[in-house]
């Protein structure tokens, strides 16, 4: 039981917190330079692109936090936690693909 709680705390500190902080900085505070390969000249609407990426990171961080808390409280089994993390980790990938389709210049 103690190992699960320690692992949950590590997930919160190393996974959820950075996702929430960086997502907030990109989406709300417009720190667009945090996006790897950022080049405004290749985008039709840089603000909307960055907002989509930032909010996807924010959602990832919140999802990781909820999964960690659920796992720590033994609401989720080990397998459910792993599958949930795998599925949630695809959220930013899908957001980047959608953002490039919607806001990329042809």
């Amino acid at each position: 039981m103690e190992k699960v709680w320690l692992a949950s705390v590590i997930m919160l500190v190393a996974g959820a917190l950075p996702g929430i902080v960086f997502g907030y900085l990109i989406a709300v505070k417009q720190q667009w330079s945090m996006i790897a390969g950022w080049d405004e000249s290749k985008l039709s609407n840089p603000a909307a692109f960055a907002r989509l990426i930032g909010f996807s990171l924010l959602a990832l961080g919140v999802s990781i936090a909820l999964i960690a808390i659920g796992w720590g409280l033994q609401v989720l089994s080990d397998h459910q936690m792993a599958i949930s993390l795998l599925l949630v980790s695809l959220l930013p990938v899908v957001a980047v693909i959608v953002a490039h389709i919607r806001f990329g210049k042809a």
Side-chain angles (χ1 to χ4, degrees):
M1 182 72 170
E2 292 176 13
K3 291 180 182 180
V4 171
W5 271 106
L6 179 61
S8 295
V9 169
I10 290 171
M11 282 174 60
L12 285 169
V13 173
L17 192 59
I20 292 169
V21 169
F22 288 126
Y24 173 78
L25 289 174
I26 292 170
V28 178
K29 294 296 183 176
Q30 299 180 349
Q31 298 290 322
W32 300 342
S33 61
M34 292 182 165
I35 300 173
W38 178 255
D39 186 5
E40 288 186 34
S41 66
K42 295 181 179 178
L43 303 170
S44 63
N45 189 348
F49 182 92
R51 218 174 11 256
L52 183 60
I53 300 301
F55 282 124
S56 74
L57 285 176
L58 190 62
L60 174 68
V62 170
S63 299
I64 291 173
L66 292 174
I67 292 168
I69 291 168
W71 187 48
L73 294 174
Q74 297 295 308
V75 175
L76 296 174
S77 69
D78 293 346
H79 288 97
Q80 290 171 329
M81 180 270 304
I83 291 169
S84 299
L85 284 176
L86 286 172
L87 293 175
V88 166
S89 67
L90 295 175
L91 182 63
V93 175
V94 172
V96 167
I97 293 169
V98 169
H100 272 289
I101 290 171
R102 289 184 65 192
F103 305 114
K105 286 186 180 176

